[in-house]
Amino acid sequence: MSARGHNRFGGTGDGTDVSGSRRRARRLNHPSPLWGSNGVAFGPDGRLYVAQYLAGQISAVDPATGDIEVVVPMDGPVQSPDDLAFGADGSMYIADLIPGRVWRRGPEGTYTVVSDEVKAVNGITCVGDRLFVNEMRPGGRLLELFPDGGEPVVLTEGLALGNAMQLGPDGLLYYPHMMTNQVWRIPPDGGVPEVVAEDVHQPVAVRFDQGGTLHVLSRGVEGIVTRIDLRGSGSRTLVTSGLVGLDNAAFDAENRMFVSSYASGGITELHPDGRTREIVPRGLDGPYGVTVDLGGTVYVADHYRLAGPAPVDEGEPVTADAAGEEGGVTSLTLMPFVHGVTNADGLVHSTSQYGDVHTHDPVQRTTRQRVTGLNEPVGIAVGPDGSLVVAEAGAGRVVSIDDGDTVTVLAEGLGHPVDVDFDAEGRCHVSDDRLGAVLRIDEDGTTAVVADGLGAPQGLAVLGDTLFTVETGPRRLTAISLSTGERRTEAEDLPVGQPPGTAPRTAPALFVHGMVGAPRPFAGLAAGPDGSLLLSANGEGTVWRLKP
C-alpha cells in the first residue's frame, strides 16, 4: 500500500473519518504511515525493513514506490522492536528492547527466542552466520549470541549506552557510546576495544557506505551525520539534514542512504550534500496531550518531542503539498518522553513519563524542570491561581505545583486519573479511565461523581457549562452538562487507541533497566479560544479540530 494512502489505524488515509459529529471535523495533519521508525535494514527481497518500537511492529517498505506492508504485526510475540538485522540464510533477527529478548524470525515466518537474558538489548548486527548484540544501558555489554544454542559470549563490557552497530571494512565491529559521544570498535572474536572517534555529535548509530566511509548519525534536533574517512586522513565532514531525531540508516547496492527517525518516523533518502527525498512521510508518533494558545498555535506532546500541526489555510484540505515535509507537522523541540501538555501566559507546561513536570518558553527556547519523582503524571492544566495541576495516574491522585515548585495533594485514593480541567467557576474535574468516570474535586479534597459508566474516559475539556471527554473504549466524544448531567454523543468512530482487529497489547513496563518504556495510551483533548475542540487521534497520528 502506498505510504501516502497508508493509515496505521484503519488501513488507508481516507478510510478513517469521524462520524456522527455535531461539529465540523477536520484533520490538521496527515495520518502517520509508521509509528516512529527505528532500526532499518535491507532484506533479501530488496525491501527496507523498519522496526517501530512504539507500535511493536515491523514493516517492509519498497524504496522505489514507498509501498508499506506490515510483516511483524503489533499483536504478535514481539513487544518493542528497536533494531533488526538479517542473517545469511534470510532470517530476521530482532532486538526486543523492553523484555530484553532477541528473536529469530525464520524465512518461513516462525518465531524463536534466541536469548532472553540481554538487558535493554538494542544494537544488533549479523556477520555471515554470526549474530552480535549490545545493550543500551550504562555499563552495557556487547555479546555474540548463538541462534542454534550455546552460551552467549561477552566481547566487552562498560558500554555507555550502546546502539546500532556494524562490521567495518577492516573486519572490526563498530558501535557508539551514546553517553560519551564516542565511537568504538572491537574484533568480533574478542580483544581490547579501542576508541575510533571522540566528540561526535550525539551518536546513535554507525553505518558504513559501499565505499567504506563511516557515517555516524546524531539523535539531535539538527539531524547531523558525521562522515569519517577512516581509510585516508581521518577527516570529518558534517552533513546537516534537518531531520529531527535520526535513529538509523541503511545503504542500498547503489550506495543510496536511507534514514529513519525515532522522533518523527518516516523513511528519507539522504544525499551526501544534505538534500533529502521523502520515501515514507514523517508525522506524529502519538500524539498524546494537546493544547492551543490564544493565538491559535497548537502544541502536542509527541513522546520524544514537543510538536504541532504545520499551519494551513482553514479552507484548504490537508494535501501532500499543504502538509509540508513532515506530513503536516512541525517539530518545536526534542523533549524526553513528554506526555501531557498545557499552556498559559506564553509558556508551555508538560508532564513526562520520567515523572517530571517541565515549563518551556517557546520564544526563549528554554526549558526548566519544575518537579520530578511523580508516579506516571499524565494530564496537566493551569488552575485559576496559576498553579499547575497534574493527574498523577500511577499514584491515584491529583496534585498542584505552585510557583515555588511545592507539590500539594488535591485529591487521592482515585483509580487511574488521566486528565484534568477547570470549569468557569474554578472547579477541578478529573477523568479516571479505570473507574470509567469523571469526578469533581471539591476544596476539601473530597470528590463527587459528575458522570460514571463511561468507557475509559481520558482527554478532558470544559467549554462553558459543558464538559467534553474522549471515551477511548467506544471511541467517541461525549458532552456532559455540568448543570443537569445530561449527556450527548458529540462524535463517534474517533481514531484513538489501538487499530481495529488487533488484540489488546499488554502495557509495557514503565521503567526497564533505567530506561523508559513505550508510552501509555492517552487521547488528549483541549478547548480552543474560538470554541473549537482539539483532539489527539493517537491511533492514526493526527490532530483533529472540531469546530461548532
Side-chain angles (χ1 to χ4, degrees), residues 25 52 106 128 171 182 206 233 250 268 270 288 291 325 329 375 406 456 488 499 531-532:
Q52 297 157 73
Q182 297 171 317
V206 295
S233 63
T268 306
L270 177 58
Y288 302 100
T291 189
E325 292 186 358
V329 178
N375 187 349
T406 298
R488 70 173 184 270
S532 64

Side-chain angles (χ1 to χ4, degrees), residues 49-198:
Y49 286 72
V50 185
Q52 297 157 73
Y53 166 78
L54 296 181
Q57 71 181 18
I58 297 174
S59 299
V61 174
D62 185 330
T65 64
D67 290 350
I68 299 172
E69 178 190 358
V70 176
V71 178
V72 177
M74 63 173 55
D75 52 359
V78 181
Q79 183 176 325
S80 52
D82 204 292
D83 202 0
L84 72 161
F86 285 90
D89 65 350
S91 294
M92 180 197 301
Y93 293 96
I94 305 165
D96 196 353
L97 191 152
I98 294 298
R101 296 192 187 101
V102 178
W103 294 89
R104 175 184 178 269
R105 182 182 184 272
E108 73 286 352
T110 58
Y111 295 87
T112 55
V113 175
V114 177
S115 173
D116 58 2
E117 298 179 357
V118 185
K119 299 177 180 178
V121 60
N122 198 331
I124 187 168
T125 192
C126 291
V127 180
D129 293 324
R130 302 176 68 181
L131 174 64
F132 299 88
V133 299
N134 65 34
E135 297 176 324
M136 192 178 69
R137 64 185 181 98
R141 302 171 297 169
L142 195 159
L143 309 92
E144 181 175 4
L145 303 180
F146 300 93
D148 296 329
E151 289 296 316
V153 173
V154 178
L155 272 67
T156 185
E157 299 179 284
L159 274 65
L161 295 189
N163 211 312
M165 60 182 176
Q166 189 177 15
L167 189 76
D170 55 4
L172 302 178
L173 281 172
Y174 287 72
Y175 53 95
H177 277 198
M178 295 169 63
M179 291 176 62
T180 58
N181 297 333
Q182 297 171 317
V183 175
W184 288 67
R185 66 185 174 191
I186 190 172
D189 292 328
V192 179
E194 63 175 324
V195 178
V196 177
E198 299 195 73

